[in-house]
Structure formats: structure tokens, C-alpha cells
């Protein structure tokens, strides 16, 4: 809005309205009300009808402001003429009116999408990005269609290796590697163009999800420049890994030993013969896709190992990708049960006590050596009780734990930590035991 420098005074109480919804149903002003945009006290309000009020324009000056409108998704391609009301104001105490103004809103019929044809995918693998541009049957022709796509912005090193020639009529073309530029596209009413770009996922790509987004799609429609929202697609990158595991633990007396082989992706060509077993034999191999199981029967007591070398199984999607070597699975097979604490006896004294002593008998089985000491005992009393702990006894079957100098008012008891007995035929140590209370 401009006010001539020849105006005798400033124009005050300037205002006008602009109907949006009546021109295009669903067309709205999508920002909060604005204040002081044309002088102190001025405001711009409304959603489907915009209203400027209480504006001031000084002589020889102008006032301008910008609004953002939301075009409904179902808007038909067309030219929509937006016309304001007359502009009213007060100059030198006299009400004045200025002519209404109009402008054209061009809604193009263009839609734009991007699809990644192979996802999830692997590092160092070629995949296809497919772009599709459609011009509605009710829309006028579109020319100078263009967009950019920064591939490396989504994933560093992502680059195009094969580009289409004249992908969208006319002089259209795609250029670039890590940053693509499409230009010169032309579509008549009702036409669609779809083209593919071959893209290489870098070998350094880590597992993860990457969103690749283009620029907005621009075009000329009815000699007017238009813009259509950007297209995006999600790329998921996986690496092929494998894990060997057993439910038997690191030491076991179980035979055969169950083994699971889990790949991160489906594979082909994996057989029982690919597993390398030391001190055992494979049986009952089964599975498919990415999950397999087998049983290993130990040949003798001692360490049994299972290995899966690299490059024996193919990724089911890309056979050029082979499995890496798995971390070795190692289990100690014992034909002698591991030593253990079979019992902690009831206390030697029952009923209320004053200061002790109170004794407990700790019994062991399958032990060749017992190393139980006072430092292995945890006093588990309550009510603020405390005691001095001693351990006595010899041999491989039992020890006596004595509590003395007992103080406090509450219960008393003991727990024994793991590792207090061992045997030559197995590396396993006795597990923890307790608590035992009085």
C-alpha cells in the first residue's frame, strides 16, 4: 500500500478484507494473527477471510507484508483470482476509498514422488531410485520442470552411477553424481513420466535408516512459475553379520550341545559342512533364511569349539555379499559334574541368643579343593545385627562357619559367594549359596 507524498496528512484506520475460502474451498491463512505490521496498533487476522485493520501509512511512504496460504490437497488444477475489498482509510478526517486489487493463484496439477526399489540394502550395493512426476488430466501443460536431489546429504558417499537420457520429454536431463539436477521436463495434460537412477550405497555405510529428500519441484504453468512439495524416501542399510550361540553355557555336562546360528539377513548356500568343529561332530542341522540350528556331540571331555569361516554363505538378495567369519563359540564339556554347595545347615543354636557363637555347616559335592574363607562369607543379619565370622575345617566335603561377638536385635544369617570350590576335571567353580537365617 502506497500513499502519495502529496497527501496532506497520513492515512489512518487503513483496512481491507480478502476472501480466500469463497474463491477456493479450504484455502486458508496458516499463520497466527499479526500485529503492528503497518504501524502501531495495526493487525492482520482471520483464516478463511483475511482482515487488515487500524493500519497507518505515512505520506510518501508505503507498507507491505507477506502472508503464507495453505492450498487444500484436493484443490483442482486451475487459476484462481483473489480479489480484495476496496481499501478504506481516513485522511485529514475524511473517509476515503481506494480500488480493490486482484492477483492470480496458479494451482498446478503436478504431483511428485520418489521411491527406493531395494530397501533394506547392503553397503557396496547398487540400488534404484525411482522418480515419478504426474500432471493431472484437468491441468494445463507444464514446462521447465526441475528439481535437485542431494544424495550425499542423506548418506555420505551415496552416488549415482547410471542416469537416464531425456527422462521427461523435450530437452529434459539428469546430471550429477552425489548431487543430482533434473531440468527441462515437459508434461502435457494427463501425462506422467517415470525414470530410474542407479545409485551405489558406499561400502562405508553403517547400519541405519536414512531419509533422502529432494528439493521442491518447480515448473512453468500458464507462463507462471509454480512449486510442488519435495519428495522423499527412506533408505535402510543393513550389514550381513552372523552369531554362534548355545543355551548350554560356557561349561556343560550336556551332550549333544545345542548350537544356534543366526544371520542378520537371509542367506543362501549355508550347510552343516560350513561349520568347523573341534573335539565334536555336527548332527541335526536344520534351518532356513537367517536362523539355523545344529547339535554338537563332544568327542571327549575338554574344550569344544565351533567356527564359521568367512565367505561360505551368500546374502539372499545380493549373492556378491558373503558372510564374515563368526566369533568362535567355545564350550568346556565336562563328564564330571561341577562342584557345588549342596547345603548350608540350620544354625547350631535355635531360639534367642545373646552373643553367640552360632555355627553353620557348609556341605560340598564333587569338590577336590575347597577355598572357603571368612572373606567369602556375607553376613545377612537384620535389625542392626553384626558378627565376627570365622571358617574352620579340612577335607573336600564340608566347612564350619562360626558367628561370634554377635550384637544387635534381629535376625542373623550368612550367604556364600561363588567360586569357593573347584575340581580338576572341570573349570567350573561352585556357585553362590544362601542366605541361611536364624
Amino acid at each position: 500500500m502506497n500513499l502519495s507524498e502529496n497527501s496532506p496528512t497520513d492515512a489512518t484506520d487503513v483496512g481491507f478484507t480478502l476472501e480466500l475460502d469463497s474463491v477456493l474451498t479450504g484455502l486458508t491463512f496458516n499463520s497466527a494473527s499479526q500485529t503492528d505490521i503497518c504501524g502501531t496498533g495495526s493487525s492482520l487476522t482471520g483464516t478463511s477471510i483475511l482482515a487488515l485493520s487500524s493500519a497507518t501509512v505515512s505520506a510518501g511512504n508505503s507498507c507491505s507484508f507477506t502472508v503464507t496460504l495453505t492450498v487444500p490437497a484436493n484443490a483442482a488444477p486451475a487459476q484462481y483470482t483473489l480479489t480484495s475489498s476496496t481499501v478504506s482509510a481516513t485522511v485529514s478526517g475524511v473517509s476515503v476509498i481506494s480500488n480493490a486489487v486482484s492477483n492470480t493463484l496458479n494451482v498446478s496439477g503436478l504431483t511428485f514422488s520418489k521411491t527406493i526399489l531395494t530397501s533394506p540394502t547392503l553397503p557396496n550395493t547398487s540400488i534404484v531410485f525411482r522418480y515419478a512426476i504426474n500432471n493431472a488430466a484437468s491441468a494445463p501443460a507444464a514446462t521447465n520442470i526441475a528439481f535437485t536431489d542431494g544424495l550425499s546429504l542423506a548418506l555420505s558417499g551415496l552416488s549415482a552411477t547410471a542416469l537416464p537420457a531425456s527422462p521427461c520429454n523435450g530437452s529434459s536431463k539428469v546430471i550429477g553424481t552425489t548431487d543430482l539436477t533434473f531440468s527441462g521436463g515437459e508434461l502435457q495434460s494427463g501425462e506422467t513420466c517415470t525414470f530410474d537412477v542407479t545409485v551405489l550405497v558406499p561400502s562405508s555405510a553403517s547400519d541405519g535408516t536414512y531419509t533422502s529428500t529432494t528439493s521442491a519441484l518447480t515448473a512453468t504453468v500458464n507462463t507462471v512459475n509454480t512449486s510442488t512439495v519435495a519428495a522423499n524416501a527412506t533408505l535402510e542399510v543393513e550389514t550381513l553379520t552372523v552369531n554362534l550361540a548355545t543355551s548350554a553355557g560356557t561349561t556343560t555336562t550336556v551332550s549333544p550341545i545345542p548350537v544356534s546360528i543366526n544371520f542378520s539377513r537371509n542367506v543362501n548356500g549355508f550347510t552343516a559342512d560350513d561349520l568347523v568343529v573341534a573335539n565334536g561332530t555336527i548332527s541335526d542341522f536344520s534351518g532356513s533364511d537367517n536362523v539355523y540350528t545344529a547339535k554338537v556331540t563332544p568327542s571327549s571331555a575338554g574344550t569344544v569349539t565351533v567356527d564359521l569361516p568367512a565367505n561360505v554363505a551368500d546374502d539372499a538378495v545380493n549373492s556378491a555379499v558373503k558372510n564374515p567369519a563368526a566369533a568362535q563359540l567355545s564350550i568346556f564339556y565336562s563328564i564330571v559334574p561341577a562342584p557345588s554347595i549342596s547345603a548350608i545347615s540350620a544354625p547350631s543354636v535355635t531360639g534367642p541368643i545373646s552373643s553367640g557363637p552360632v555355627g553353620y555347616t557348609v556341605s560340598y559335592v564333587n569338590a577336590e579343593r575347597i577355598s572357603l574363607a571368612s572373606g567369602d562369607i556375607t553376613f545377612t543379619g537384620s535389625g542392626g545385627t553384626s558378627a565376627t565370622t570365622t571358617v574352620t575345617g579340612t577335607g573336600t566335603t564340608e566347612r564350619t562357619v562360626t558367628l561370634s561377638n554377635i550384637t544387635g536385635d534381629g535376625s542373623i544369617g550368612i550367604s556364600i559367594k561363588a567360586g569357593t570350590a573347584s575340581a580338576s576335571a572341570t573349570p567350573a567353580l561352585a556357585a553362590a549359596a544362601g542366605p541361611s537365617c536364624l
Side-chain angles (χ1 to χ4, degrees), residues 272-339:
D273 293 338
D274 297 324
L275 293 168
V276 179
V277 180
N279 191 30
T281 56
I282 286 282
S283 64
D284 294 339
F285 177 86
S286 64
S288 61
D289 297 333
N290 68 322
V291 177
Y292 297 82
T293 59
K295 293 179 180 177
V296 175
T297 302
S299 302
S300 63
T303 300
V304 177
T305 61
V306 183
D307 288 278
L308 179 63
N311 304 320
V312 298
D314 300 336
D315 184 86
V317 174
N318 183 354
S319 61
V321 176
K322 313 294 184 181
N323 69 283
Q328 185 181 75
L329 178 64
S330 180
I331 311 106
F332 188 89
Y333 173 65
S334 174
I335 57 176
V336 177

Side-chain angles (χ1 to χ4, degrees), residues 364-381:
Y364 289 84
V365 293
N366 304 317
E368 292 182 3
R369 294 170 295 277
I370 297 175
S371 59
L372 181 65
S374 58
D376 300 320
I377 310 297
T378 300
F379 180 75
T380 58

Side-chain angles (χ1 to χ4, degrees), residues 145 164-174 181-186 193 195:
I145 303 171
S166 188
C168 200
N169 304 325
S171 59
S172 62
K173 61 182 178 180
V174 181
T181 298
F182 168 81
S183 61
E186 297 180 6
C193 74
F195 57 91

